[in-house]
Amino acid sequence: TQSTWGIPSPFLTRCRCVLIHLFICFLRVMKTILFVGLFLTLAIVARCDESASMTEEEYQKEQRELQTLLNWAIEQTATKALPDSPGMDKLEIRRKAEALKSLDKKWLDAVWRSDADHMKSLLSTILSENSTVEDRGDALDRLEEFVEDLNNAIDLHSINGLVPVLHILSENSSDPYLILSKAAHVVATAAQNNYKVQEQVVKNGGLDVLLHQWDKHSTNQSEAASFLLAVSAVVRSFPPGRRLFIESNGLQRLERTIINGTDSRLLKRSLVLLCSILMDEPAALGSLLQNGAVRLRGLTSALFRHLFNTESDQDLQEKIKALMQAVSTADSQAAVLLKEFAHTSGHPDLTFDSDRSYRSSSGSNIHPTSEQAAEQPSEPLLLGI
């Protein structure tokens, strides 16, 4: 018999059977691939869970086994397969094989270990009595890189790493300035705009030890700048830390730094922190100026002196002007003194407009809040530059 197109029906039947058979084979292959993929996925997940719960001893054992396996593979390749290849220099092959054998453990660590494990390892180096100053300094630098991540900064306390770092900065610490400054930078990086870390630093007495180190290194202003950086990171945008800082005579420390300071980094950080505190808590100026006009006159005189002596540093200039704005806004007596110094300076380039907005030398306006505007003096105030 033949079909409509003249093709024998048995031939069409066989074609259909072959197609059906191929389709069934395809389904079986896909089923096998699916099961293999699922198995591999479960194996990888199980391996990750096992690694996460692995003790340090188990981890070291596994790393030794991996290193042994790697060395064996290199030896087999270098002593058997490669020498038989034409044009290959045996000594060069063996030299490269030996170089591969010395594969640094940190590359294996990068593959298998979590950030928390890395930080634990770094803390072990930092706190070990057998570690050199150079090794501890390098470990603190790497730890600072890790805590730049917000979650790692929070985990630093979870893995009991924050308190040991603060202990390095304690009064009884005999560590050199290199280690102290790097520890302070770790705290500063972890606490920057991180409420949970700021809370833990204050709770564990971190602000007190930072203030102690700041005082201890006050005679060397470039060194003191490192500890002021950490203090600022703990205090700014954190009301409990700000209040503790004020209660610990922190404002008086800033005032002394501004009056006696010559280091540009230290000055900038002092000005930024003091300005931030006065903007958030204008009433804090009363604590700063508790000795009356003599102290206020010294502060305003120092601000003008820095303003005249730092004309090449525009960033520092703007910070000084912002602090002048904050001080004059918070205290009418300060406004009068600033006006007095401005008149005697002979450089009335900066003024308070009639709407009480601050005009910089570039002509831009910075408008105070309604509360600040209410406390401003009624007459325009000249700020000399």
Side-chain angles (χ1 to χ4, degrees):
T1 59
Q2 293 186 345
S3 67
T4 307
W5 297 282
I7 302 175
S9 295
F11 179 75
L12 290 175
T13 301
R14 284 195 297 273
C15 288
R16 284 196 295 269
C17 290
V18 170
L19 291 173
I20 292 173
H21 179 70
L22 290 174
F23 181 70
I24 292 173
C25 290
F26 173 76
L27 291 178
R28 288 176 178 171
V29 171
M30 293 302 296
K31 180 180 178 181
T32 302
I33 293 174
L34 180 62
F35 275 110
V36 171
L38 181 61
F39 173 77
L40 291 175
T41 301
L42 293 175
I44 292 173
V45 172
R47 177 68 181 81
C48 292
D49 292 340
E50 181 183 348
S51 298
S53 59
M54 192 181 300
T55 64
E56 183 67 22
E57 183 178 352
E58 292 171 340
Y59 171 77
Q60 296 295 341
K61 180 180 178 182
E62 179 174 311
Q63 295 308 298
R64 288 193 295 270
E65 292 174 351
L66 287 173
Q67 188 69 54
T68 302
L69 179 61
L70 175 64
N71 292 340
W72 177 84
I74 293 171
E75 289 173 359
Q76 297 302 310
T77 302
T79 58
K80 295 180 180 179
L82 291 178
D84 295 334
S85 303
M88 298 294 289
D89 182 84
K90 294 183 179 181
L91 291 177
E92 181 66 16
I93 292 170
R94 192 170 295 279
R95 186 185 67 80
K96 292 183 177 180
E98 291 298 328
L100 286 172
K101 282 184 183 180
S102 62
L103 183 67
D104 198 311
K105 176 177 173 290
K106 69 181 180 180
W107 299 112
L108 293 175
D109 287 347
V111 175
W112 296 107
R113 309 193 80 178
S114 67
D115 285 356
D117 290 330
H118 279 295
M119 291 194 293
K120 287 180 181 178
S121 178
L122 292 171
L123 286 166
S124 298
T125 302
I126 293 166
L127 302 176
S128 173
E129 296 180 355
N130 298 324
S131 299
T132 64
V133 172
E134 183 179 357
D135 289 339
R136 295 178 69 201
D138 291 342
L140 283 165
D141 286 337
R142 291 185 61 194
L143 183 61
E144 183 183 358
E145 293 175 3
F146 275 105
V147 298
E148 287 176 359
D149 180 273
L150 182 67
N151 295 322
N152 287 343
I154 296 173
D155 288 342
L156 181 63
H157 176 69
S158 302
I159 63 174
N160 299 318
L162 181 60
V163 173
V165 173
L166 292 174
H167 182 71
I168 294 174
L169 298 163
S170 65
E171 296 183 16
N172 301 324
S173 176
S174 58
D175 287 313
Y177 167 73
L178 175 68
I179 300 300
L180 296 174
S181 64
K182 290 180 182 290
H185 276 84
V186 170
V187 175
T189 303
Q192 186 72 33
N193 298 320
N194 193 325
Y195 188 93
K196 292 184 178 180
V197 176
Q198 291 172 318
E199 185 177 39
Q200 292 302 326
V201 171
V202 171
K203 182 179 179 181
N204 288 280
L207 185 57
D208 292 332
V209 298
L210 289 170
L211 290 173
H212 166 76
Q213 292 297 340
W214 182 12
D215 291 338
K216 181 179 177 181
H217 293 83
S218 60
T219 55
N220 188 324
Q221 296 188 12
S222 62
E223 294 182 0
S226 297
F227 305 105
L228 179 55
L229 176 66
V231 170
S232 181
V234 174
V235 170
R236 294 182 66 187
S237 304
F238 183 57
R242 185 169 62 242
R243 287 192 292 270
L244 179 59
F245 178 76
I246 295 172
E247 292 170 2
S248 303
N249 296 322
L251 294 178
Q252 284 73 24
R253 287 181 170 92
L254 288 175
E255 178 206 24
R256 288 195 300 268
T257 301
I258 293 171
I259 293 176
N260 303 317
T262 57
D263 183 79
S264 60
R265 283 193 312 153
L266 186 65
L267 274 175
K268 284 180 183 178
R269 291 168 183 174
S270 301
L271 292 166
V272 169
L273 180 55
L274 182 55
C275 187
S276 173
I277 292 174
L278 294 182
M279 288 295 187
D280 292 334
E281 294 191 25
L285 190 63
S287 173
L288 176 63
L289 305 177
Q290 59 184 0
N291 289 342
V294 174
R295 169 167 282 179
L296 179 58
R297 182 173 291 276
L299 177 61
T300 52
S301 175
L303 290 176
F304 270 91
R305 185 178 72 252
H306 293 316
L307 194 64
F308 299 146
N309 295 337
T310 59
E311 294 182 356
S312 59
D313 191 334
Q314 293 298 320
D315 184 45
L316 183 54
Q317 288 258 313
E318 289 304 317
K319 288 176 173 57
I320 295 172
K321 297 168 191 174
L323 182 56
M324 285 181 169
Q325 166 70 17
V327 170
S328 64
T329 298
D331 187 89
S332 58
Q333 188 180 11
V336 172
L337 278 175
L338 284 171
K339 179 181 177 181
E340 177 185 327
F341 278 107
H343 277 302
T344 57
S345 68
H347 297 279
D349 298 50
L350 301 177
T351 64
F352 281 99
D353 293 333
S354 57
D355 63 354
R356 299 180 182 85
S357 64
Y358 180 65
R359 174 182 294 171
S360 69
S361 57
S362 61
S364 59
N365 289 334
I366 304 174
H367 294 274
T369 62
S370 57
E371 293 81 7
Q372 294 169 340
E375 296 180 13
Q376 292 236 7
S378 58
E379 59 179 316
L381 176 64
L382 298 175
L383 289 182
I385 181 172

